[in-house]
Coordinates of all heavy atoms in Angstrom, one line a residue:
M1 N 26.6 35.5 -32.4 CA 26.2 35.8 -31.1 C 24.7 36.0 -31.0 O 24.1 36.8 -31.9 CB 26.9 37.0 -30.6 CG 26.7 37.4 -29.1 SD 27.6 36.3 -28.0 CE 26.8 36.8 -26.5
I2 N 24.0 35.4 -30.1 CA 22.5 35.6 -29.9 C 22.3 36.9 -29.2 O 22.9 37.1 -28.1 CB 21.9 34.4 -29.2 CG1 22.3 33.1 -29.8 CG2 20.4 34.5 -29.1 CD1 22.1 31.9 -29.0
E3 N 21.4 37.7 -29.8 CA 21.0 39.0 -29.1 C 19.9 38.7 -28.1 O 18.9 38.1 -28.4 CB 20.5 40.0 -30.1 CG 21.6 40.5 -31.1 CD 22.6 41.4 -30.4 OE1 22.1 42.2 -29.5 OE2 23.8 41.4 -30.7
L4 N 20.2 39.0 -26.8 CA 19.2 38.8 -25.7 C 18.9 40.2 -25.1 O 19.8 41.0 -24.8 CB 19.7 37.9 -24.7 CG 19.9 36.4 -25.0 CD1 20.5 35.7 -23.8 CD2 18.5 35.8 -25.3
S5 N 17.6 40.4 -24.8 CA 17.3 41.6 -24.1 C 17.6 41.4 -22.6 O 17.8 40.2 -22.2 CB 15.8 42.0 -24.3 OG 15.0 41.1 -23.5
F6 N 17.6 42.4 -21.8 CA 17.9 42.2 -20.4 C 16.9 41.3 -19.7 O 17.3 40.5 -18.9 CB 17.9 43.6 -19.7 CG 18.2 43.5 -18.2 CD1 19.5 43.2 -17.8 CD2 17.3 43.8 -17.3 CE1 19.9 43.1 -16.5 CE2 17.6 43.7 -15.9 CZ 18.9 43.4 -15.5
M7 N 15.6 41.4 -20.1 CA 14.6 40.6 -19.5 C 14.8 39.1 -19.8 O 14.7 38.2 -19.0 CB 13.2 41.1 -20.0 CG 12.0 40.7 -19.2 SD 12.3 41.2 -17.5 CE 11.3 40.0 -16.7
E8 N 15.1 38.9 -21.1 CA 15.4 37.5 -21.5 C 16.6 36.9 -20.8 O 16.6 35.8 -20.4 CB 15.6 37.4 -23.1 CG 14.3 37.6 -23.8 CD 14.6 37.8 -25.3 OE1 15.6 38.3 -25.7 OE2 13.7 37.5 -26.1
Y9 N 17.6 37.8 -20.7 CA 18.9 37.4 -20.0 C 18.5 37.0 -18.6 O 19.0 35.9 -18.1 CB 19.8 38.6 -20.0 CG 21.2 38.3 -19.4 CD1 22.1 37.4 -20.1 CD2 21.6 38.9 -18.2 CE1 23.3 37.1 -19.5 CE2 22.8 38.6 -17.7 CZ 23.7 37.7 -18.3 OH 24.9 37.5 -17.8
C10 N 17.7 37.8 -17.9 CA 17.3 37.4 -16.5 C 16.6 36.1 -16.4 O 16.8 35.3 -15.6 CB 16.5 38.5 -15.9 SG 17.4 40.0 -15.5
M11 N 15.6 35.9 -17.4 CA 14.8 34.7 -17.4 C 15.7 33.5 -17.6 O 15.6 32.5 -17.0 CB 13.8 34.8 -18.6 CG 12.6 35.7 -18.3 SD 11.8 35.2 -16.8 CE 10.9 33.8 -17.3
V12 N 16.7 33.6 -18.5 CA 17.7 32.5 -18.8 C 18.4 32.2 -17.5 O 18.6 31.0 -17.1 CB 18.6 32.9 -19.9 CG1 19.8 31.9 -19.9 CG2 17.9 32.9 -21.3
I13 N 18.9 33.2 -16.8 CA 19.6 33.0 -15.5 C 18.7 32.3 -14.5 O 19.1 31.3 -13.8 CB 20.2 34.3 -15.0 CG1 21.3 34.7 -15.9 CG2 20.7 34.1 -13.6 CD1 22.2 35.7 -15.4
V14 N 17.5 32.8 -14.3 CA 16.6 32.2 -13.3 C 16.2 30.8 -13.6 O 16.3 29.9 -12.8 CB 15.3 33.1 -13.2 CG1 14.2 32.3 -12.4 CG2 15.6 34.4 -12.5
I15 N 15.8 30.5 -14.9 CA 15.5 29.2 -15.3 C 16.7 28.2 -15.2 O 16.6 27.1 -14.7 CB 14.9 29.2 -16.7 CG1 13.5 29.8 -16.7 CG2 14.7 27.8 -17.3 CD1 12.9 30.1 -18.0
G16 N 17.9 28.8 -15.6 CA 19.1 28.0 -15.6 C 19.4 27.6 -14.1 O 19.8 26.4 -13.8
S17 N 19.2 28.5 -13.2 CA 19.6 28.2 -11.8 C 18.6 27.2 -11.2 O 19.0 26.3 -10.5 CB 19.6 29.4 -10.9 OG 18.4 30.1 -11.0
F18 N 17.3 27.3 -11.6 CA 16.3 26.2 -11.2 C 16.7 24.9 -11.7 O 16.7 23.9 -10.9 CB 14.9 26.6 -11.7 CG 14.1 27.4 -10.7 CD1 13.8 28.8 -11.0 CD2 13.7 26.9 -9.5 CE1 13.1 29.6 -10.2 CE2 13.0 27.7 -8.6 CZ 12.7 29.0 -9.0
V19 N 17.1 24.8 -13.0 CA 17.5 23.5 -13.5 C 18.7 23.0 -12.8 O 18.8 21.8 -12.5 CB 17.7 23.7 -15.1 CG1 18.4 22.5 -15.6 CG2 16.4 23.9 -15.8
L20 N 19.7 23.9 -12.5 CA 20.9 23.4 -11.9 C 20.6 22.9 -10.5 O 21.1 21.9 -10.1 CB 21.9 24.6 -11.8 CG 22.8 24.8 -13.0 CD1 23.8 25.9 -12.8 CD2 23.6 23.5 -13.3
V21 N 19.8 23.6 -9.7 CA 19.4 23.2 -8.4 C 18.7 21.8 -8.4 O 19.0 20.9 -7.6 CB 18.6 24.3 -7.7 CG1 17.9 23.7 -6.4 CG2 19.4 25.5 -7.3
G22 N 17.8 21.7 -9.3 CA 17.1 20.4 -9.5 C 18.0 19.3 -9.8 O 18.0 18.2 -9.2
L23 N 19.0 19.6 -10.7 CA 19.9 18.6 -11.1 C 20.8 18.2 -10.0 O 21.0 17.0 -9.7 CB 20.8 19.1 -12.3 CG 21.6 18.1 -13.1 CD1 20.6 17.2 -13.9 CD2 22.5 18.8 -14.0
F24 N 21.3 19.1 -9.2 CA 22.2 18.8 -8.1 C 21.4 18.1 -7.0 O 22.0 17.2 -6.4 CB 22.8 20.1 -7.5 CG 24.1 20.5 -8.3 CD1 24.1 21.8 -8.9 CD2 25.2 19.7 -8.4 CE1 25.2 22.2 -9.6 CE2 26.3 20.1 -9.1 CZ 26.3 21.3 -9.7
G25 N 20.2 18.5 -6.8 CA 19.4 17.7 -5.8 C 19.2 16.3 -6.2 O 19.3 15.4 -5.4
W26 N 18.9 16.1 -7.5 CA 18.7 14.7 -8.0 C 20.0 13.9 -7.8 O 20.0 12.8 -7.3 CB 18.2 14.8 -9.4 CG 17.9 13.5 -10.0 CD1 16.8 12.7 -9.7 CD2 18.7 12.7 -10.9 NE1 16.8 11.6 -10.4 CE2 18.0 11.5 -11.2 CE3 19.9 12.9 -11.5 CZ2 18.4 10.6 -12.0 CZ3 20.4 12.0 -12.4 CH2 19.7 10.8 -12.6
I27 N 21.1 14.5 -8.2 CA 22.4 13.8 -8.1 C 22.7 13.5 -6.7 O 23.1 12.3 -6.3 CB 23.5 14.6 -8.7 CG1 23.4 14.7 -10.3 CG2 24.9 14.1 -8.4 CD1 24.3 15.6 -11.0
S28 N 22.5 14.4 -5.7 CA 22.9 14.2 -4.4 C 21.9 13.1 -3.7 O 22.4 12.3 -2.9 CB 22.9 15.5 -3.6 OG 21.6 15.6 -3.0
R29 N 20.7 13.1 -4.1 CA 19.7 12.1 -3.6 C 20.2 10.7 -4.1 O 20.2 9.7 -3.4 CB 18.3 12.4 -4.1 CG 17.3 11.3 -3.7 CD 16.0 11.7 -4.1 NE 15.5 12.8 -3.4 CZ 14.2 13.2 -3.4 NH1 13.3 12.6 -4.1 NH2 13.9 14.3 -2.7
F30 N 20.6 10.7 -5.4 CA 21.0 9.4 -6.0 C 22.3 8.9 -5.2 O 22.4 7.7 -4.9 CB 21.3 9.6 -7.4 CG 21.5 8.4 -8.2 CD1 20.5 7.5 -8.5 CD2 22.8 8.1 -8.7 CE1 20.8 6.3 -9.2 CE2 23.1 7.0 -9.4 CZ 22.0 6.1 -9.7
A31 N 23.2 9.8 -5.0 CA 24.5 9.4 -4.3 C 24.2 9.0 -2.9 O 24.7 8.0 -2.4 CB 25.4 10.6 -4.3
H32 N 23.3 9.7 -2.2 CA 22.9 9.3 -0.9 C 22.3 7.9 -0.8 O 22.6 7.1 0.0 CB 22.0 10.3 -0.3 CG 21.5 10.0 1.1 ND1 22.3 10.2 2.2 CD2 20.4 9.6 1.6 CE1 21.7 9.9 3.3 NE2 20.5 9.4 2.9
F33 N 21.4 7.7 -1.8 CA 20.7 6.4 -1.8 C 21.7 5.2 -2.0 O 21.7 4.2 -1.3 CB 19.7 6.4 -3.0 CG 19.0 5.0 -3.2 CD1 18.1 4.6 -2.4 CD2 19.4 4.2 -4.3 CE1 17.5 3.4 -2.6 CE2 18.8 3.0 -4.5 CZ 17.8 2.6 -3.6
N34 N 22.7 5.5 -2.9 CA 23.7 4.5 -3.2 C 24.6 4.2 -2.0 O 24.9 3.1 -1.6 CB 24.6 4.9 -4.3 CG 24.2 4.3 -5.6 OD1 23.3 3.5 -5.7 ND2 24.8 4.7 -6.7
D35 N 24.9 5.3 -1.3 CA 25.8 5.2 -0.1 C 25.1 4.5 1.0 O 25.7 3.6 1.6 CB 26.1 6.6 0.4 CG 27.3 6.6 1.3 OD1 28.3 6.0 1.0 OD2 27.1 7.3 2.4
E36 N 23.8 4.7 1.2 CA 23.0 4.1 2.2 C 23.0 2.6 1.9 O 23.1 1.8 2.8 CB 21.6 4.6 2.2 CG 20.7 4.2 3.3 CD 20.7 5.1 4.4 OE1 21.7 5.8 4.6 OE2 19.7 5.2 5.1
R37 N 22.7 2.2 0.7 CA 22.6 0.8 0.3 C 24.0 0.1 0.5 O 24.0 -1.0 1.1 CB 22.2 0.7 -1.2 CG 21.5 -0.6 -1.5 CD 21.3 -0.8 -2.9 NE 22.5 -0.6 -3.7 CZ 22.6 -0.7 -5.0 NH1 21.5 -0.9 -5.7 NH2 23.7 -0.5 -5.6
R38 N 25.1 0.8 0.2 CA 26.4 0.2 0.3 C 26.7 0.0 1.8 O 27.2 -1.0 2.3 CB 27.4 1.1 -0.3 CG 28.6 0.3 -0.7 CD 29.6 1.2 -1.5 NE 29.0 1.8 -2.7 CZ 29.0 3.1 -3.0 NH1 29.6 3.9 -2.3 NH2 28.4 3.5 -4.1
G39 N 26.3 1.0 2.6 CA 26.5 0.9 4.1 C 25.7 -0.2 4.7 O 26.2 -0.9 5.5
R40 N 24.5 -0.4 4.2 CA 23.6 -1.5 4.8 C 24.2 -2.8 4.5 O 24.2 -3.7 5.3 CB 22.2 -1.4 4.2 CG 21.2 -1.9 5.2 CD 19.8 -1.8 4.7 NE 19.4 -0.6 4.0 CZ 18.9 -0.5 2.8 NH1 18.7 -1.6 2.2 NH2 18.7 0.6 2.3
R41 N 24.8 -3.0 3.3 CA 25.4 -4.2 2.9 C 26.7 -4.6 3.6 O 27.1 -5.7 3.6 CB 25.7 -4.2 1.3 CG 24.4 -4.6 0.6 CD 24.8 -4.7 -0.9 NE 25.7 -5.8 -1.2 CZ 25.4 -7.1 -1.3 NH1 24.2 -7.4 -1.1 NH2 26.4 -7.9 -1.6
S42 N 27.3 -3.5 4.1 CA 28.6 -3.8 4.8 C 28.5 -3.9 6.3 O 29.5 -4.0 7.0 CB 29.7 -2.8 4.4 OG 29.3 -1.5 4.9
R43 N 27.3 -3.7 6.8 CA 27.0 -3.7 8.3 C 26.5 -5.1 8.7 O 25.6 -5.6 8.1 CB 26.0 -2.6 8.6 CG 26.4 -1.8 9.8 CD 25.5 -0.6 9.9 NE 25.8 0.5 9.0 CZ 24.9 1.2 8.3 NH1 23.6 1.0 8.6 NH2 25.3 2.1 7.5
F44 N 27.1 -5.6 9.7 CA 26.7 -6.9 10.2 C 26.3 -6.8 11.7 O 26.9 -6.1 12.4 CB 27.8 -7.9 10.1 CG 28.2 -8.3 8.7 CD1 29.2 -7.6 8.0 CD2 27.6 -9.4 8.1 CE1 29.5 -8.0 6.7 CE2 27.9 -9.7 6.8 CZ 28.8 -9.0 6.1
V45 N 25.3 -7.6 12.0 CA 25.0 -7.8 13.5 C 25.0 -9.3 13.7 O 24.3 -10.1 13.0 CB 23.6 -7.2 13.8 CG1 23.3 -7.4 15.3 CG2 23.5 -5.7 13.4
C46 N 25.8 -9.7 14.7 CA 25.9 -11.1 15.0 C 24.6 -11.6 15.7 O 24.0 -10.9 16.6 CB 27.0 -11.3 15.9 SG 27.2 -13.0 16.4
D47 N 24.0 -12.7 15.2 CA 22.8 -13.3 15.8 C 23.0 -13.8 17.3 O 22.1 -13.8 18.1 CB 22.3 -14.5 15.0 CG 22.0 -14.1 13.6 OD1 21.7 -12.9 13.3 OD2 22.2 -15.0 12.7
L48 N 24.2 -14.2 17.5 CA 24.5 -14.8 18.8 C 24.9 -13.8 19.9 O 24.3 -13.9 21.0 CB 25.7 -15.8 18.6 CG 25.9 -16.9 19.6 CD1 24.6 -17.8 19.7 CD2 27.1 -17.7 19.3
C49 N 25.8 -12.9 19.6 CA 26.3 -12.0 20.7 C 25.9 -10.6 20.5 O 26.2 -9.7 21.2 CB 27.8 -12.2 20.9 SG 28.7 -11.6 19.4
L50 N 25.2 -10.3 19.3 CA 24.7 -9.0 19.0 C 25.8 -7.9 18.8 O 25.6 -6.7 18.9 CB 23.7 -8.5 20.0 CG 22.4 -9.3 20.1 CD1 21.5 -8.7 21.2 CD2 21.7 -9.3 18.8
T51 N 27.0 -8.4 18.5 CA 28.1 -7.5 18.1 C 27.8 -6.9 16.8 O 27.3 -7.6 15.9 CB 29.4 -8.2 18.1 OG1 29.7 -8.9 19.3 CG2 30.6 -7.3 17.8
T52 N 28.0 -5.6 16.6 CA 27.8 -4.9 15.3 C 29.2 -4.6 14.8 O 30.0 -4.0 15.5 CB 27.0 -3.7 15.5 OG1 25.8 -4.0 16.2 CG2 26.6 -3.1 14.2
W53 N 29.4 -4.9 13.5 CA 30.7 -4.5 12.9 C 30.5 -4.3 11.4 O 29.5 -4.6 10.8 CB 31.8 -5.6 13.2 CG 31.7 -6.8 12.3 CD1 32.5 -7.1 11.2 CD2 30.9 -7.9 12.5 NE1 32.1 -8.3 10.7 CE2 31.1 -8.8 11.5 CE3 29.9 -8.3 13.4 CZ2 30.5 -10.1 11.4 CZ3 29.2 -9.5 13.3 CH2 29.5 -10.4 12.3
E54 N 31.5 -3.7 10.8 CA 31.5 -3.5 9.4 C 32.5 -4.3 8.6 O 33.6 -4.5 9.1 CB 31.8 -2.0 9.1 CG 30.5 -1.1 9.0 CD 30.8 0.3 8.5 OE1 31.5 0.4 7.5 OE2 30.3 1.2 9.1
D55 N 32.1 -4.8 7.5 CA 33.0 -5.6 6.7 C 32.9 -5.2 5.2 O 31.8 -5.3 4.7 CB 32.7 -7.1 6.8 CG 33.7 -8.0 6.1 OD1 33.7 -7.9 4.8 OD2 34.4 -8.7 6.7
R56 N 33.9 -4.6 4.7 CA 33.8 -4.0 3.3 C 34.1 -5.0 2.2 O 34.2 -4.7 1.1 CB 34.6 -2.7 3.2 CG 34.2 -1.6 4.1 CD 34.0 -0.3 3.4 NE 33.4 0.7 4.3 CZ 32.2 1.1 4.2 NH1 31.4 0.7 3.2 NH2 31.7 2.0 5.0
G57 N 34.3 -6.2 2.6 CA 34.7 -7.3 1.6 C 33.6 -7.7 0.8 O 32.4 -7.2 0.9
K58 N 33.8 -8.6 -0.2 CA 32.8 -9.0 -1.1 C 32.2 -10.4 -0.7 O 31.2 -10.8 -1.3 CB 33.4 -9.2 -2.5 CG 33.8 -7.9 -3.2 CD 32.6 -7.3 -3.9 CE 33.0 -5.9 -4.6 NZ 31.9 -5.0 -4.4
E59 N 32.7 -11.1 0.3 CA 32.2 -12.4 0.6 C 30.8 -12.3 1.2 O 30.4 -11.3 1.8 CB 33.1 -13.1 1.7 CG 34.6 -13.0 1.4 CD 35.3 -11.7 1.8 OE1 34.9 -11.3 3.0 OE2 36.1 -11.2 1.1
K60 N 30.0 -13.4 0.9 CA 28.6 -13.4 1.4 C 28.6 -13.7 2.9 O 27.6 -13.4 3.6 CB 27.8 -14.5 0.7 CG 27.3 -14.0 -0.7 CD 26.4 -15.0 -1.3 CE 25.9 -14.6 -2.6 NZ 24.7 -13.7 -2.5
I61 N 29.6 -14.4 3.4 CA 29.6 -14.8 4.8 C 30.8 -14.1 5.5 O 31.9 -14.0 5.0 CB 29.9 -16.3 4.9 CG1 28.9 -17.1 4.1 CG2 29.9 -16.8 6.4 CD1 27.5 -17.1 4.8
A62 N 30.5 -13.5 6.7 CA 31.5 -12.8 7.5 C 31.6 -13.5 8.8 O 30.6 -14.0 9.3 CB 31.2 -11.3 7.6
I63 N 32.8 -13.5 9.4 CA 32.9 -14.1 10.7 C 32.9 -13.1 11.8 O 33.5 -12.0 11.7 CB 34.3 -14.8 10.7 CG1 34.5 -15.8 9.6 CG2 34.5 -15.6 12.1 CD1 33.5 -16.9 9.6
C64 N 32.1 -13.3 12.8 CA 32.0 -12.4 13.9 C 33.3 -12.2 14.6 O 33.9 -13.2 15.0 CB 30.9 -12.8 14.9 SG 30.8 -11.9 16.4
P65 N 33.8 -11.0 14.8 CA 35.1 -10.8 15.4 C 35.1 -11.1 16.9 O 36.1 -11.3 17.5 CB 35.4 -9.3 15.2 CG 34.1 -8.7 14.9 CD 33.2 -9.7 14.3
H66 N 33.9 -11.2 17.5 CA 33.8 -11.4 18.9 C 33.7 -12.9 19.3 O 34.4 -13.4 20.1 CB 32.6 -10.6 19.5 CG 32.5 -10.6 21.0 ND1 31.5 -11.3 21.7 CD2 33.3 -10.1 21.9 CE1 31.7 -11.1 23.0 NE2 32.8 -10.4 23.1
C67 N 32.7 -13.6 18.6 CA 32.5 -15.0 19.0 C 32.8 -15.9 17.9 O 32.8 -17.2 18.2 CB 31.0 -15.2 19.4 SG 29.8 -15.0 18.1
G68 N 33.1 -15.5 16.7 CA 33.6 -16.4 15.6 C 32.4 -17.0 14.9 O 32.7 -17.8 14.0
R69 N 31.2 -16.7 15.1 CA 30.1 -17.2 14.4 C 30.1 -16.6 13.0 O 30.3 -15.4 12.8 CB 28.8 -16.9 15.1 CG 27.6 -17.5 14.5 CD 26.3 -16.9 15.1 NE 25.2 -17.1 14.3 CZ 24.3 -18.1 14.5 NH1 24.4 -18.9 15.5 NH2 23.2 -18.2 13.7
S70 N 29.7 -17.4 12.0 CA 29.6 -16.9 10.6 C 28.2 -16.3 10.4 O 27.2 -16.8 10.8 CB 29.9 -18.0 9.6 OG 29.0 -19.1 9.8
C71 N 28.2 -15.1 9.7 CA 27.0 -14.3 9.5 C 26.8 -14.1 8.0 O 27.7 -13.8 7.4 CB 27.0 -13.0 10.3 SG 27.1 -13.2 12.0
Q72 N 25.5 -14.1 7.6 CA 25.2 -13.9 6.2 C 25.1 -12.4 6.0 O 24.6 -11.6 6.8 CB 23.9 -14.5 5.9 CG 23.5 -14.5 4.4 CD 23.3 -15.9 3.9 OE1 22.9 -16.8 4.6 NE2 23.6 -16.1 2.6
R73 N 25.6 -12.0 4.8 CA 25.6 -10.5 4.4 C 24.1 -10.1 4.2 O 23.4 -10.8 3.5 CB 26.4 -10.3 3.2 CG 26.4 -8.8 2.7 CD 27.4 -8.7 1.5 NE 28.7 -9.1 1.8 CZ 29.6 -8.2 2.4 NH1 29.3 -7.0 2.7 NH2 30.8 -8.6 2.6
P74 N 23.7 -9.0 4.8 CA 22.3 -8.5 4.6 C 22.1 -8.2 3.1 O 23.0 -7.7 2.4 CB 22.2 -7.3 5.5 CG 23.4 -7.2 6.2 CD 24.4 -8.1 5.6
R75 N 20.8 -8.3 2.6 CA 20.5 -7.9 1.2 C 20.4 -6.5 1.0 O 20.0 -5.7 1.9 CB 19.1 -8.5 0.9 CG 19.1 -10.0 1.0 CD 19.4 -10.7 -0.4 NE 20.3 -11.8 -0.2 CZ 21.2 -12.1 -1.0 NH1 21.5 -11.4 -2.1 NH2 22.0 -13.2 -0.8
Ligands
LIG101 ZN1 29.1 -12.9 17.6

């Protein structure tokens, strides 16, 4: 067992919490970025009738549910 004074113990807790907050912030930013990108890729706007819809499939071309025009998946 490592012997720690009360001051050292407090420092470990403070530094540990800073590291944890930074880590969680980084993870949540990364997750948000991924989610945003996935959302943008599944959102379509029809060029012809301006209908907006979501398609979670993998195909590069989606058919507009309103007018039937085929639309390219955004990058
Ligand atoms: Zn359309």
Side-chain angles (χ1 to χ4, degrees):
M1 184 78 191
I2 307 165
E3 290 289 323
L4 287 177
S5 72
F6 181 70
M7 202 55 207
E8 285 169 335
Y9 183 72
C10 288
M11 287 302 286
V12 165
I13 289 196
V14 167
I15 290 171
S17 59
F18 270 112
V19 167
L20 276 182
V21 165
L23 195 69
F24 277 120
W26 184 74
I27 287 172
S28 93
R29 176 177 294 190
F30 189 70
H32 178 75
F33 175 76
N34 262 355
D35 195 48
E36 188 94 332
R37 204 186 55 179
R38 207 173 301 130
R40 210 180 318 125
R41 274 184 64 77
S42 66
R43 228 169 281 140
F44 290 92
V45 180
C46 178
D47 303 328
L48 197 62
C49 63
L50 296 180
T51 304
T52 309
W53 78 99
E54 268 192 47
D55 185 292
R56 299 231 171 249
K58 289 274 180 223
E59 312 84 43
K60 276 184 180 282
I61 304 288
I63 306 295
C64 172
H66 188 247
C67 67
R69 184 192 161 100
S70 54
C71 298
Q72 190 122 29
R73 183 176 297 275
R75 297 268 138 216

